Amino acid sequence: EVKLVESGGGLVQPGGSLRLSCATSGFTFSDFYMEWVRQPPGKRLEWIAASRNKANDYTTEYSASVKGRFIVSRDTSQSILYLQMNALRAEDTAIYYCARDAVIKGAMDYWGQGTSVTVSS
Amino acid sequence: DIVMSQSPSSLAVSVGEKVTMSCKSSQSLLYSSNQKNYLAWYQQKPGQSPKLLIYWASTRESGVPDRFTGSGSGTDFTLTISSVKAEDLAVYYCQQYYSYRTFGGGTKLEIK
């Protein structure tokens, strides 16, 4: 059974940092792209970061809204996806989801339950 | 960046009715090399994570009821629910993956 479990969310002050984790199981982690998607309260989904699969050298992509501040990485030995978030702003307040991206589908076929991040003083 | 627009933003229907919702992209999502449209539809029920319904614009994800149908090509796409059930109460998002990923603003489906 495919599972994605996010953790690491919480309350952080503007300008602070936080690292989110997404523990995965039930599939070959290195075969899949992995994505981070966030959803501010009451708003639309926003894709923010991606880690391609091993075949694509785990290269990364970022949305303009987080590029230069957020870093996505993997621990392939433990099948964990990370999102290091730096220089946090109030507008980064959201639920953060990790999702598996199946290349053969091109879409995100499994999602975690999300972890909440609040940026406030 | 590719901009995704959805309409209507919300609609209310009775159980058993047919529903159609629209998704438009600011540029074509059709890859000429493989003739695939790089568009997906997701369903997000209240308090839940999104769930994949449709990919490649018209391929139903495993386990998704056949009352959900995706259609369209290029820049104009439609999600149709042939006979709405109460459990279909949700926000429906389209998402392009032609040029990385962008989501539409969503269509909120309410049940009368």
Side-chain angles (χ1 to χ4, degrees), chain B residues 6-89:
Chain B
Q6 290 186 245
S7 61
S9 56
S10 66
L11 70 164
V13 301
S14 300
V15 170
E17 284 188 28
K18 178 180 176 180
V19 165
T20 60
M21 56 190 77
S22 173
C23 173
K24 295 183 187 293
S25 58
S26 60
Q27 67 184 72
S28 177
L29 305 182
L30 177 63
Y31 245 112
S32 55
S33 60
N34 59 12
Q35 288 299 295
K36 287 186 174 182
N37 285 282
Y38 283 52
L39 181 104
W41 289 95
Y42 299 85
Q43 174 193 63
Q44 187 177 33
K45 294 183 177 180
Q48 295 186 15
S49 305
K51 172 189 172 183
L52 177 63
L53 296 176
I54 303 284
Y55 57 95
W56 300 130
S58 60
T59 303
R60 204 175 291 116
E61 173 69 334
S62 175
V64 172
D66 60 8
R67 65 179 182 274
F68 291 92
T69 301
S71 62
S73 184
T75 61
D76 292 285
F77 301 91
T78 300
L79 177 68
T80 301
I81 309 174
S82 59
S83 179
V84 166
K85 295 190 173 185
E87 68 204 50
D88 299 334
L89 165 71

Side-chain angles (χ1 to χ4, degrees), chain A residues 33 35 37 39 43-47 50 52 61 97 101 103-109 111-114, chain B residues 1 4 36 40 42 44 48-52 54-56 61 93 95 97 100-106:
Chain A
Y33 287 31
E35 315 276 354
V37 175
Q39 187 170 36
K43 296 192 175 180
R44 72 167 71 185
L45 299 167
E46 179 191 11
W47 169 80
R52 293 185 179 90
E61 294 281 348
Y97 298 100
D101 192 322
V103 176
I104 60 168
K105 301 174 186 176
M108 300 175 218
D109 62 351
W111 294 65
Q113 84 289 350
Chain B
D1 289 4
M4 306 299 292
K36 287 186 174 182
Y42 299 85
Q44 187 177 33
Q48 295 186 15
S49 305
K51 172 189 172 183
L52 177 63
I54 303 284
Y55 57 95
W56 300 130
E61 173 69 334
Y93 293 95
Q95 176 234 322
Y97 45 100
Y100 234 78
R101 279 98 176 93
T102 317
F103 289 91

Side-chain angles (χ1 to χ4, degrees), chain A residues 53-87:
Chain A
N53 57 12
K54 182 178 181 180
N56 288 281
D57 296 326
Y58 300 124
T59 52
T60 57
E61 294 281 348
Y62 299 93
S63 70
S65 61
V66 307
K67 194 170 187 178
R69 299 188 299 126
F70 291 11
I71 300 171
V72 60
S73 62
R74 300 187 186 220
D75 180 337
T76 54
S77 66
Q78 297 194 68
S79 299
I80 299 175
L81 180 73
Y82 295 105
L83 184 68
Q84 177 67 42
M85 304 188 296
N86 302 320

Side-chain angles (χ1 to χ4, degrees), chain A residues 4-44:
Chain A
L4 306 173
V5 179
E6 301 95 336
S7 61
L11 175 64
V12 61
Q13 292 190 339
S17 298
L18 210 55
R19 189 177 79 160
L20 306 183
S21 300
C22 172
T24 74
S25 60
F27 64 100
T28 304
F29 187 58
S30 59
D31 286 348
F32 288 84
Y33 287 31
M34 296 295 298
E35 315 276 354
W36 286 100
V37 175
R38 68 183 180 185
Q39 187 170 36
K43 296 192 175 180
R44 72 167 71 185

